[in-house]
Amino acid sequence: MSDPSPSPTPGPVRIGIDVGGTFTDAVAVSATTYALLGQVKVPTSHDHADGVAHGIMTALEGLLDDIGVSADDVGFLAHGTTQATNALLEGDVATIGIVGVGSGYDAFATGRLRSLGRLRLDSGHPLPVRYSALRDPDREGAALASVDRVLAEGAEVVVAVEPFSVDDPRGELAVLEAARTRGVPVTATHEITQLYGLGKRARTAALNAGVMPRMLQTADLVERSIHKAGVTAPLMVMRCDGGVMSLPEMRHRPLLTVLSGPAAGVAGALMGEKVSEGVFLETGGTSTDISVIRRGRVQIRHARLGGKETYLSALDVRTVGVGGGSLVRVGGGEGPGRADLTDVGPRSAHIAGLPYACFADPAELEGARLVRISPMASDPGDHAVLDTGRQRFALTVTCAANAAGLVPEGDYARADAGAARAALAPLAEALGTGVEEAARAVLHKATERVAEVVEELVGDYGLDRQVCALVGGGGGAATVTPYLGRRTGLAARIAAHSEVISPLGVALALVRESVERIIPGATHADVLAVRAEAERAVLSQGADPAGIEVDVTVDPQRNLVAAVATGATELRTKDRTAGADDETARAAAADSLGAGPGELTEYASTGQYRVLGLVRRPRGPLGRLARERTHVRVVDAEGVVRLHSADARVDTLVAAEAEGRIKDLVEERTTYGDGGALPPAVWLLLGPKLADLSGVLDPGHLVALASAEVARRAPDERIVAVMEKRR
């Protein structure tokens, strides 16, 4: 991502807007170069008559004025919002009317869903639930009467629940029709997920319904404002899994916007920083959100809301209460050398209502002494601040990072070095050490829990430390990531324009959709049908058919077939037809392998990718040489390692013959053991696409999916297959 570079004719632009709790940030990105053209920050307009929509429009209008383009030049506009997240956190949700469909045992099962009213949101408020039974949905007027009963009890939104609606949704459809007759928002469990599990499915649908009225109101206001401003591009909304969705889809499933804040930052790292394997840390003033990118993909799991697991597929993000504004905590006695550093955070300078000491004029800190306070009445009195007799200043992680010289010039968190050292001097005296030693002690203590979480994620997801990178985003990126890299031994860098990494992620994000199905004994046709459904979903939201990638996972133990489709809108037009030059590709692959460029062999190439690597023969536990392994790196057109393997084979095929050849190669490289057949993990390079089939363990399903990918290519096109031996 290059520096902001306004041009008289910047061409078509992509706009990303991130609505935070305090500020709304907007950025404009060139659709052809992805260069950042401009950025603005305005207060989030919670209290305005139009709500956050007013802040979105204020930011958009200011941004277009700054970069000198008209509304006609906007070809892509997306926004991320914390509204749904905040509604659940604060308990500000609509009253939910659950209509339980069924008789006999089904009526008993749905009746138990009254207990959802005991579900406690993070605020401590219970989920407001009303319940009505619908025993015979086929009887004329019965569904309408059930809806009327919950509306009479104060329900503002309706949820249709039927035990086996994933197989036959007729009862839920009757409730949907009745609620729409009454003009109230409504959702049904079969629309939220096709997975079994009545309680979990109903819980997810109820939470979706709870945030629906507010989100629909905001969506209508934003859409009207955008059209009034002359923007004709369809409005997209950030999802919690790192992609964007169309506004109609958001109206249908607003719960997908919950937890989308961290997802926007990861999307920025994935698309703007081209991270293929690493840990992304988004550091603000109070906390750091930590998430994983593995083999070019964000990592997803079912989110827990209100203390219970849901079917909401969201970014796997771990939050640690340490940020750039976290306060230093000091124990021990008074006087030089008698104190000891006990902790850092989770309280921040913001909560204490104090300015950062490192951002003060050094003259303001003259004569400052270290005192200990309680930021809140219930807090321990061990939080260290500087008292000059005229004013108090907070000692923060940002102060320590600047005093240690780890914040680069021009960074959002950069402070005057003299001020930072002056800020740390009283602490250093109390600890009986030098200023730099005190600063590093603060950073070491601050990153303790962050380092633990990073190591957990590296282990949980099997990240390759040889290529794993730590990438810092957020306004406080430089206060945590550089020191953490030294501590863990992992390569670390700060993302370009880290302070606006979230709106950048919104601007660059791909359209995304996931489909999950429980299919006992799934056939090849079943697997292909799930894949096609995910592909159709992103097509319907404006994705360019030529660039859609679908990753399929088949879990035979859970009978789960899942497909995640991603695709770029047609405006995302950066030219990727030319592959990286040989020198750039070799340098990138060699760096990730810890080898010299001249040691590498090029195994294959396409117009967009080069496949390079080398053969190594590692030593076993007793020092004996193990079998040879081919280490492979796939480098894309921009010189980024998109795929890495420590034990793979590479084959170049012609599309017309690829189907049969892939079948033969899979059979040849399938291993057999007590657990049955284990085929290789397979990736296919097809034009600009890198098709990931590594989540499929059944050889037949694998060949069927590969055949579906190959069938779309020209007969004489070269296709590269990378097959990794599974361990």
Side-chain angles (χ1 to χ4, degrees):
M1 191 74 64
S2 62
D3 292 328
S5 51
S7 165
T9 55
V13 297
R14 296 173 66 92
I15 304 291
I17 303 174
D18 182 57
V19 183
T22 305
F23 291 104
T24 294
D25 291 293
V27 299
V29 177
S30 166
T32 53
T33 67
Y34 302 168
L36 177 63
L37 302 174
Q39 61 191 74
V40 300
K41 182 188 293 285
V42 301
T44 297
S45 52
H46 295 292
D47 299 326
H48 192 273
D50 290 341
V52 299
H54 176 73
I56 291 173
M57 283 311 303
T58 301
L60 176 61
E61 290 167 356
L63 187 62
L64 295 181
D65 285 344
D66 282 355
I67 63 175
V69 301
S70 69
D72 292 337
D73 294 313
V74 179
F76 177 91
L77 174 62
H79 80 280
T81 176
T82 59
Q83 268 202 303
T85 304
N86 291 343
L88 295 179
L89 287 173
E90 298 164 10
D92 187 15
V93 296
T95 301
I96 302 157
I98 296 178
V99 177
V101 182
S103 58
Y105 181 79
D106 286 357
F108 169 75
T110 56
R112 295 181 64 184
L113 296 175
R114 291 182 178 91
S115 64
L116 287 175
R118 297 196 296 269
L119 182 68
R120 295 276 171 178
L121 302 175
D122 287 0
S123 62
H125 293 88
L127 193 67
V129 168
R130 308 292 182 265
Y131 182 84
S132 175
L134 174 58
R135 298 186 182 278
D136 184 5
D138 294 327
R139 183 167 58 85
E140 186 175 353
L144 195 60
S146 295
V147 168
D148 285 341
R149 282 196 291 273
V150 292
L151 294 180
E153 293 181 18
E156 302 165 86
V157 60
V158 173
V159 179
V161 181
E162 189 174 15
F164 295 100
S165 60
V166 295
D167 298 322
D168 182 0
R170 282 179 297 174
E172 290 191 354
L173 290 173
V175 176
L176 290 176
E177 183 179 354
R180 286 167 182 154
T181 298
R182 292 294 186 243
V184 295
V186 61
T187 190
T189 68
H190 78 274
E191 295 179 318
I192 300 301
T193 178
Q194 288 289 302
L195 298 180
Y196 294 113
L198 177 63
K200 191 173 175 180
R201 196 169 76 245
R203 187 184 311 126
T204 309
L207 291 168
N208 184 70
V211 300
M212 186 176 278
R214 173 187 279 200
M215 296 299 291
L216 292 179
Q217 181 184 35
T218 299
D220 291 342
L221 285 169
V222 173
E223 187 173 40
R224 285 200 299 269
S225 300
I226 295 296
H227 289 163
K228 186 177 179 181
V231 175
T232 58
L235 178 63
M236 309 295 283
V237 184
M238 194 71 200
R239 295 165 51 113
C240 55
D241 58 7
V244 291
M245 59 183 165
S246 66
L247 200 60
E249 188 61 33
M250 192 282 287
R251 288 190 172 102
H252 183 55
R253 292 184 291 169
L255 192 65
L256 285 172
T257 66
V258 171
L259 307 176
S260 62
V266 177
L270 186 65
M271 305 306 298
E273 293 296 307
K274 305 301 175 190
V275 182
S276 63
E277 186 99 346
V279 177
F280 176 68
L281 305 104
E282 186 164 10
T283 302
T286 303
S287 62
T288 296
D289 292 327
I290 310 168
S291 49
V292 166
I293 296 170
R294 183 175 184 271
R295 285 180 165 167
R297 299 286 186 270
V298 294
Q299 301 303 301
I300 303 298
R301 66 176 178 179
H302 285 156
R304 294 180 67 86
L305 298 172
K308 299 287 186 179
E309 190 172 279
T310 68
Y311 277 132
L312 176 67
S313 294
L315 188 76
D316 183 2
V317 59
R318 320 281 171 91
T319 300
V320 178
V322 170
S326 295
L327 295 172
V328 174
R329 299 173 64 180
V330 174
E334 302 288 343
R338 299 186 63 188
D340 54 83
L341 185 66
T342 59
D343 208 347
V344 176
R347 288 295 187 210
S348 68
H350 171 71
I351 295 297
L354 296 175
Y356 293 23
C358 59
F359 293 130
D361 188 301
E364 294 181 89
L365 301 178
E366 287 182 7
R369 60 189 183 89
L370 191 75
V371 298
R372 307 177 203 189
I373 67 165
S374 300
M376 304 285 287
S378 58
D379 291 337
D382 61 353
H383 295 74
V385 302
L386 300 185
D387 191 332
T388 66
R390 302 172 301 280
Q391 187 176 358
R392 285 183 169 180
F393 295 91
L395 272 180
T396 67
V397 176
T398 300
C399 299
N402 277 284
L406 296 180
V407 183
E409 192 168 347
D411 188 88
Y412 187 77
R414 174 83 171 192
D416 177 76
R421 287 193 291 270
L424 266 290
L427 175 65
E429 182 182 3
L431 298 177
T433 186
V435 168
E436 188 165 333
E437 290 78 4
R440 293 186 180 277
V442 170
L443 294 173
H444 200 76
K445 180 65 70 174
T447 56
E448 273 183 1
R449 180 59 185 144
V450 182
E452 289 175 10
V453 173
V454 167
E455 294 295 353
E456 285 172 9
L457 289 170
V458 169
D460 289 350
Y461 286 103
L463 301 185
D464 184 345
R465 296 184 74 94
Q466 195 170 14
V467 295
C468 181
L470 300 178
V471 179
T479 68
V480 169
T481 301
Y483 187 84
L484 186 66
R486 299 183 183 191
R487 178 173 187 152
T488 60
L490 296 170
R493 70 177 187 269
I494 301 169
H497 313 296
S498 61
E499 74 279 7
V500 289
I501 192 72
S502 289
L504 279 173
V506 175
L508 293 170
L510 301 174
V511 182
R512 183 180 175 99
E513 188 57 79
S514 62
V515 175
E516 295 178 309
R517 296 285 183 269
I518 297 294
I519 308 176
T523 65
H524 303 341
D526 291 329
V527 174
L528 291 172
V530 173
R531 182 198 180 284
E533 185 177 348
E535 185 175 46
R536 286 195 302 272
V538 294
L539 272 172
S540 69
Q541 297 181 64
D544 182 356
I548 294 175
E549 296 183 3
V550 186
D551 298 339
V552 178
T553 301
V554 182
D555 185 341
Q557 292 186 330
R558 294 190 293 158
N559 295 315
L560 176 68
V561 181
V564 178
T566 53
T569 59
E570 291 188 11
L571 189 75
R572 205 169 184 279
T573 54
K574 189 172 184 181
D575 183 11
R576 297 177 181 273
T577 57
D581 63 80
D582 183 66
E583 184 178 350
T584 300
R586 281 183 175 274
D591 183 60
S592 74
L593 284 164
E599 299 176 57
L600 305 187
T601 298
E602 183 171 292
Y603 297 113
S605 67
T606 67
Q608 292 76 30
Y609 299 100
R610 290 174 181 266
V611 186
L612 301 111
L614 51 77
V615 175
R616 284 175 173 155
R617 193 172 182 184
R619 291 190 178 275
L622 301 178
R624 296 175 182 172
L625 289 173
R627 68 174 179 83
E628 289 185 344
R629 293 180 179 176
T630 303
H631 295 252
V632 169
R633 301 292 186 261
V634 176
V635 184
D636 71 9
E638 296 185 345
V640 177
V641 176
R642 287 283 306 278
L643 174 65
H644 56 88
S645 172
D647 192 7
R649 295 174 68 176
V650 181
D651 296 275
T652 299
L653 318 170
V654 177
E657 304 170 356
E659 183 176 346
R661 185 73 180 118
I662 289 172
K663 181 179 180 181
D664 292 343
L665 291 172
V666 169
E667 288 179 356
E668 175 188 324
R669 294 166 191 176
T670 296
T671 58
Y672 298 87
D674 294 339
L678 188 64
V682 177
W683 294 266
L684 300 177
L685 308 183
L686 312 109
K689 296 172 60 175
L690 197 166
D692 184 351
L693 308 180
S694 62
V696 182
L697 297 174
D698 178 271
H701 294 336
L702 179 57
V703 172
L705 287 165
S707 299
E709 293 285 359
V710 169
R712 305 176 181 213
R713 316 311 299 185
D716 60 347
E717 182 179 335
R718 283 189 306 165
I719 291 170
V720 176
V722 179
M723 298 190 180
E724 177 183 79
K725 181 179 177 63
R726 296 187 193 268
R727 299 177 184 174

